[in-house]
Amino acid sequence: MTDETAVLSPSAAAPERAAAEGGGRGRPGQVWRSRRYRWDLRWSPYAFVAPFFLFFAAFGLFPLLYTGWAALHQVELTDPDSMTWVGLRNFTRLWDDEFFWNALRNTVTIGLLSTVPQLAIALGVAHLLNYRLRGSAFFRVAVLTPYATSVAAATLVFVLLFGRDYGMINWVLSAVGFGAVDWQNGTFASQLAVSTIVIWRWTGYNALIYLAAMQAVPGELYESAALDGASRWQQFLHVTVPSLRPTILFTCVVSTIGATQLFGEPLLFNGGAGATGGSDHQFQTLGLYLYEQGWVNLHLGRASAIAWAMFLILLLIAGAARLLRGRGNSR
Amino acid sequence: MGAAALLLGGCAQDPETDPKAGPSAGGKGQTTLTVGVFGAFGLQEAGLYDEYMAQNPGIRIEQTSIERNENYYPQLLTHLGTGSGLADIQAVEVNNIAEITATQADKLVDLGKVSGVDKAAYLPWKWAQGTAPAAKGGATVGLGTDIGPQGICYRKDLFEAAGLPSDREAVGALWAGDWGKYLETGKAYKAKAGDGKAFVDSASGVMAAVTGSSAQRFYDEQGKVVYKTNPAVRGAFDLAASFATEGLSAKLQQFTPGWDQGFANGAFATVSCPAWMLGYIQDKAGPAGKDKWDVAQAPKPSNWGGSFLVVPKAGKNAEAAAKLAAWLTAPEQQAKLFEKRGSFPSASAAYKLPAVSGAKHEYFGGAPIGEIFSKAAQGVPVTVVGPKDLVIAQNLADIGMLQVDQKGRSPQEGWEAAVKAIDNALDQ
């Protein structure tokens, strides 16, 4: 990536600069024009990218730093102006905070329960969509519709489906001879239910990303594989998947970030009760715990510390992934 | 939970925006007052804004509504903190009022001094709740709108089937004076009705009703958190837990879709119902439940929910807003709100008005709800409210009692889990 950015750096403009200076020995107007041309070449790219960085500074960097600052203080939402310095106490107390560890554990299990099947199904769906089929545009749009649904609407429907007494899923389960499941109260059951909502919403989105990548795979690879007698399944395994490796890695990263920030689904799955994530906190994720601390209990400082802890956890995961990838490449 | 309860209470109609608000309204010399509320508050739906605008041609009223108090309240706090983004009048839920009077009084107008506001017209305990502690200036910053005196709503047909009396006087007499008798009635009901039919909707509903009938709950008069050692709270918790351990509860969580379906399917025979809940029951139980539901006096007078109006000093039209707030909460308007929306007046002066004293509820077998709830309201003790009432009540219900009710934990385990969650929440 660094090689590409070098193209934009001023040093790349050196040949032009030399040319401009060489031709600039004439009249003063020409000198001015060539100097302006040089500045233009050198600084315009920065002006073009500046809006992003200004917005990022205002709405990305500042909140990030302010949150970090608030995390070092005791500060309540009832009076955000009065802050008391407590150093790292908000962070150290997380170590003994069983609710934090519980939320972290839940976030990991729900993250795995949702991400792994989601990406696997997405890959399969993309493979099917990649076939030549009648009305493919329709299917591609259809696959994306869950993603276009609002989290709130989707979750509320799923809450009804997963209802204990009158839910459709329990009705089906009872009809085929299994007992009804208390989806809200069981630890595994509730986490599975929440994961189902996530899977339903995001599979199509990932499938389309995979599909786009699949269509960039050269057809010759399949042709030669077919000539070698590879079946459809073998082609998928030995041509498609290896060609998609960078894309798969990308979706893994994005899904991991999404899973770490999981919030809307578990919040709404709890009906009217808000951020507790069930009576036993059985599906309270880190995002939900952050919300509970900040916006229910009004402890802005503690909530900020959780937010930063989540950020650091993501950095750790990213670092670990990089290490793994580095080892994979050197093989 | 009380918060969720309140905003859902009586929200038969959607909080639609005023059809009149729009570019056509306005003009020179007009003052626009904004009112910020949560849920379907009812002021607009009862036509009070229209009436005020007709009386005061220079005033135009616009309302903004956020569906859930959980989202509304933190926003109100941040707006008060920055002094921007505020409506001229803001609603505050009773579980939040102590925190508002204790921490935000200096940012709010003293409504007790506005002309036309008569302290004597209000229930004394409601007036006290909206008044800041003496150390904070002692200003009355919140004017009460409604309160939530409770009755017990019950299914006549199920009571008859279980061989219990179904007349509301006789039903009230079954448990008059003692919540313990309510439990005994439940046991008698279960013995006759058999399994599969629950007596109450949820254990936490019972707990809210019982704690609402004691003067001291989570805080003492000095503002110290005492819920852990207060026998009234522990007693309410254990009594409500018995409904779960005795198998009398339908094990539902209030204000969830499952609870709504429970009403529609007649899954339980009784529910303790504040005045604002009647409309909710009518909505959820639907036409099929008509003439099946009735309402009787609760074992003890008890209150659950209610709201206040406050006027931020930072508003551009604080004076006009204070005048409007005083008008909206005057006894006559509270009576209209009760007539149209079922929100029970916090102004005792309204109880004598025919709109309240003669009120009957068609859906609940023509029950004289004005009489029933007035009686309950006047018996409610002066409750000590504290800044974190909402957090404590919510964790007791949604952690502690729910574990007992739905997960089958022992009352002791449920209590300990709730205490742990509350300690974590209150800890600075």
Side-chain angles (χ1 to χ4, degrees), chain A residues 1 5 47 57 68 71 90 108 140 152 161 178 185 190 202 206 224 230 237 240-241 243 258 264 272 289 304 316 320:
Chain A
M1 209 191 296
T5 47
N90 282 330
V108 171
R140 284 170 197 180
L161 293 181
F178 293 100
N185 277 304
S190 64
W202 288 91
N206 286 308
S224 54
L237 222 54
T240 312
V241 173
S243 313
Y289 186 51
S304 303
L316 269 178

Side-chain angles (χ1 to χ4, degrees), chain A residues 119-130 205-218 221-222 235-253 325:
Chain A
L119 295 182
I121 299 170
L123 205 55
V125 169
H127 184 63
L128 292 180
L129 283 176
N130 203 20
Y205 171 84
N206 286 308
L208 280 203
I209 292 180
Y210 287 150
L211 179 64
M214 274 176 194
Q215 295 190 326
V217 179
L221 286 178
Y222 290 105
Q235 287 178 27
F236 174 74
L237 222 54
H238 298 291
V239 179
T240 312
V241 173
S243 313
L244 254 52
R245 259 188 62 180
T247 314
I248 293 174
L249 189 74
F250 167 77
T251 53
C252 283
V253 170
R325 192 163 47 134

Side-chain angles (χ1 to χ4, degrees), chain A residues 74 76-78 81 89 93 97-99 159-160 164-166 182 185 187 270-274 276 278-282 289 291-293 295-299 302, chain B residues 4 68 70-71 74 77-78 81 99 103-104 250-253 255-257 261-262 265 267 388 391 394 398-399 402-403 406-407 409 420-421 424-428:
Chain A
Q74 182 197 315
E76 299 293 292
L77 198 63
T78 44
D81 292 334
R89 196 175 65 128
R93 68 187 303 168
D97 184 348
E98 59 174 293
F99 296 105
V159 167
L160 286 177
R164 183 194 62 192
D165 294 339
Y166 311 105
D182 191 350
N185 277 304
T187 305
N270 203 13
T276 56
S279 62
D280 218 2
H281 304 278
Q282 66 267 30
Y289 186 51
Y291 180 77
E292 190 184 26
Q293 279 298 340
W295 275 264
V296 179
N297 302 337
L298 310 176
H299 305 318
R302 289 181 68 183
Chain B
R68 303 174 70 96
E70 293 149 55
N71 302 329
L77 283 180
T78 47
E99 192 158 59
T103 65
Q104 314 290 327
K251 301 175 193 286
L252 295 163
Q253 189 175 8
F255 303 103
T256 60
Q261 290 166 326
N265 291 297
K388 298 293 179 188
V391 170
Q394 210 164 13
D398 293 342
I399 302 294
L402 205 61
Q403 285 196 5
Q406 295 196 345
K407 300 200 78 157
R409 299 267 168 83
K420 211 184 271 177
N424 183 47
L426 295 189
D427 183 11
Q428 309 283 299

Side-chain angles (χ1 to χ4, degrees), chain B residues 12-178:
Chain B
Q13 282 132 333
D14 286 322
E16 292 287 44
T17 47
D18 186 355
K20 280 196 194 126
S24 61
K28 282 237 168 100
Q30 271 210 329
T31 310
T32 301
L33 295 177
T34 49
V35 184
V37 301
F38 49 89
F41 209 72
L43 297 172
Q44 180 165 295
E45 292 84 345
L48 294 181
Y49 298 159
D50 288 341
E51 194 181 334
Y52 192 79
M53 285 189 279
Q55 288 173 13
N56 303 271
I59 302 280
R60 209 161 71 79
I61 304 171
E62 276 175 16
Q63 177 177 292
T64 54
S65 174
I66 293 179
E67 196 56 40
R68 303 174 70 96
N69 185 48
E70 293 149 55
N71 302 329
Y72 168 87
Y73 180 63
Q75 203 179 85
L76 173 61
L77 283 180
T78 47
H79 286 167
L80 280 170
T82 56
S84 68
L86 287 156
D88 293 303
I89 296 178
Q90 297 272 358
V92 177
E93 215 266 342
V94 62
N95 275 319
N96 302 125
I97 192 67
E99 192 158 59
I100 289 288
T101 57
T103 65
Q104 314 290 327
D106 55 331
K107 302 191 181 81
L108 300 170
V109 174
D110 184 353
L111 296 173
K113 295 205 178 90
V114 173
S115 75
V117 175
D118 179 15
K119 184 179 174 181
Y122 283 88
L123 290 167
W125 56 268
K126 185 76 174 178
W127 183 268
Q129 284 176 348
T131 304
K136 301 278 178 183
T140 301
V141 294
L143 290 179
T145 55
D146 62 323
I147 55 171
Q150 308 208 55
I152 302 286
C153 293
Y154 66 98
R155 285 275 301 253
K156 271 180 292 198
D157 55 333
L158 296 180
F159 265 54
E160 272 164 22
L164 291 172
S166 65
D167 171 65
R168 66 180 76 90
E169 293 289 328
V171 168
L174 283 177
W175 48 59
D178 187 358

Side-chain angles (χ1 to χ4, degrees), chain A residues 18 34 284 286:
Chain A
S34 69
Q284 185 174 50
L286 282 175

Side-chain angles (χ1 to χ4, degrees), chain A residues 40-62:
Chain A
D40 184 30
L41 212 60
R42 178 175 252 207
W43 299 110
S44 293
Y46 293 104
F48 292 144
V49 296
F52 169 77
F53 284 99
L54 287 178
F55 274 105
F56 175 73
F59 300 107
L61 194 62
F62 171 72

